[in-house]
Amino acid sequence: MKISVIGGGRWARTIASVLCGLPGRADQITMHSPSNAAGLRAWAAQSQFAGRLSALDTWPSAGAGSKRPDAVIVANRAGDHFEAAAGALVDGIPVLVEKPVALSRRRIEELNSIATARGTAFGGSHVFLFARYVEAYAAALASLGRPRSLRMIWTDGASDIRGGEAKSYDPAVTLFDDVLPHIVPLVGELRFRNLALVALDVRRGGARLAIEAQANGLPVSLLIARNDQGRQRRIEVETESGVAILDFADEPAVIDIAGTRMNGDPQWTTALRPLATMLCAFIAAVEGAPLDPRLSPDWAIASATFAEVVRGRYIAHQAEWLATRLGEPLDTELLYAFAEFGSNEAGSADSISKAWPTIADQAELKMFLARSRLFFDAG
């Protein structure tokens, strides 16, 4: 099989590397990155890839012929996901898209409609649903009776290292757009679905959010942050029989039930890990199997639906907060906010930072903010 991976960053390379290591397969993997093809070629020359990995500075060929891929995995900038995925789906090529699948629910639904019309597989990357430690935790919760509440902490440090490389994020993608596509499917698997926003607390210019929600009447608290003191991944669910904790900051995770701690995945070193398991499920769908429900775009649509509600409250807060900061010197909080507002027609974060001292009043601020991608996504 010929598989194209669109993207040139750390996660795209991780996907390509795992594809090359899947047992019993000899797929040809091509990476596509107009901006980093040379770097990818040097990386692909490593001996462990055995000539199965190549790189191009163009996107995959959609026409008939030997260069047409059998499947496409989209892992480039989030703002480019829709164009990359739509181009392949229109030509009937199965597609798996990294999170966030797109930056609005409408775009995800459009991709789903294209895939349905073409009769081709279309999935969202929900890698944590393929983690055995999540399955074990969900089973433990089910044995404890009815859930009463859920609290989740998801933070990243300013210089976290993952897979030997510094982890980074796209500053033009809000924290909630980036993280909710992981969280919503994950808590949904734990019987906390149909999230409804109750309250939103915004800190550090948008780099730290406390989200209060309800899931079918049950309270859900989400604390998410970037540039924080360190990496945390922790879920606490209160049930009628006590509290169950999943700590997966370090895999294979630890499950704590009433003070009894256990390894979340005893097979971590001997069986396929979550990303490999997910990629195998996608390949199976490409080869004709039914799409694994864990890849369903319905999860991506649910995430985007909740993110859009958060976005409305978030924009209102940011506009009010920035108005109170007019005339003040730039600091880290303002610079963080500018990086989010400074995309698309609004220009670069640097140009907006230079423009900040020239914004004299709330009317000018409103005009400035209205050019941001955040407002386009809200609509």
Side-chain angles (χ1 to χ4, degrees), residues 8-362:
R10 179 188 68 86
W11 190 242
R13 284 182 277 114
T14 298
I15 290 171
S17 179
V18 171
L19 284 170
C20 287
L22 292 178
R25 300 199 63 88
D27 304 302
Q28 290 296 315
I29 314 301
T30 303
M31 300 194 70
H32 302 260
S33 175
S35 62
N36 191 32
L40 290 176
R41 290 188 190 103
W43 175 76
Q46 297 177 77
S47 59
Q48 69 263 34
F49 299 131
R52 290 173 52 199
L53 185 59
S54 60
L56 296 174
D57 60 3
T58 58
W59 281 12
S61 172
S66 60
K67 294 184 179 180
R68 176 186 171 94
D70 299 300
V72 168
I73 298 174
V74 177
N76 55 353
R77 289 180 62 254
D80 297 328
H81 282 184
F82 176 81
E83 184 180 358
L89 289 172
V90 164
D91 286 284
I93 301 173
V95 174
L96 176 69
V97 189
E98 258 306 315
K99 62 84 190 170
V101 171
L103 293 172
S104 73
R105 178 185 61 183
R106 176 178 58 83
R107 287 298 205 181
I108 301 171
E109 290 173 338
E110 188 174 343
L111 291 175
N112 198 30
S113 294
I114 295 171
T116 300
R118 298 298 187 276
T120 193
F122 166 51
S125 174
H126 308 123
V127 67
F128 288 103
L129 299 188
F130 292 84
R132 284 180 295 273
Y133 57 78
V134 171
E135 295 175 351
Y137 182 61
L141 286 177
S143 70
L144 295 174
R146 288 182 297 178
R148 291 179 175 171
S149 66
L150 180 146
R151 180 172 183 263
M152 185 170 191
I153 301 173
W154 184 296
T155 67
D156 288 302
S159 56
D160 289 350
I161 303 297
R162 303 297 293 169
E165 294 187 50
K167 184 177 179 180
S168 61
Y169 61 87
D170 184 346
V173 177
T174 65
L175 172 61
F176 58 86
D177 277 318
D178 193 29
V179 174
L180 287 178
H182 278 319
I183 290 177
V184 172
L186 187 48
V187 302
E189 281 292 286
L190 304 177
R191 297 185 287 173
F192 290 84
R193 301 192 177 195
N194 303 317
L195 291 175
L197 181 63
V198 174
L200 176 68
D201 183 50
V202 183
R203 302 287 178 175
R204 293 178 21 220
R208 185 178 178 91
L209 305 176
I211 300 171
E212 298 297 327
Q214 286 191 339
N216 297 323
L218 299 176
V220 174
S221 297
L222 308 174
L223 176 63
I224 59 178
R226 288 171 171 164
N227 304 328
D228 211 64
Q229 295 182 354
R231 175 183 173 86
Q232 294 189 73
R233 302 285 189 273
R234 183 181 175 91
I235 302 175
E236 299 179 10
V237 175
E238 182 182 356
T239 74
E240 59 186 358
S241 299
V243 176
I245 299 170
L246 173 67
D247 188 333
F248 56 111
D250 295 311
E251 293 172 311
V254 173
I255 298 173
D256 186 323
I257 307 293
T260 300
R261 293 165 59 88
M262 64 192 78
N263 184 339
D265 181 5
Q267 302 178 65
W268 184 256
T269 60
T270 58
L272 292 180
R273 295 184 179 180
L275 178 57
T277 306
M278 183 184 74
L279 292 173
C280 284
F282 174 61
I283 289 172
V286 175
E287 294 178 334
L291 185 72
D292 191 303
R294 293 170 291 185
L295 295 174
S296 171
D298 289 344
W299 283 120
I301 292 169
S303 301
T305 299
F306 186 57
E308 288 182 356
V309 177
V310 173
R311 181 174 295 108
R313 192 82 61 91
Y314 182 78
I315 290 173
H317 172 276
Q318 294 295 75
E320 182 178 345
W321 173 71
L322 286 169
T324 67
R325 299 292 306 271
L326 284 171
E328 295 184 11
L330 289 169
D331 58 16
T332 56
E333 293 185 356
L334 285 170
L335 287 170
Y336 181 90
F338 285 149
E340 291 183 347
F341 283 107
S343 56
N344 277 5
E345 290 82 351
S348 68
D350 181 63
S351 66
I352 292 178
S353 298
K354 292 177 181 177
W356 171 249
T358 71
I359 301 174
D361 53 35
Q362 291 192 36

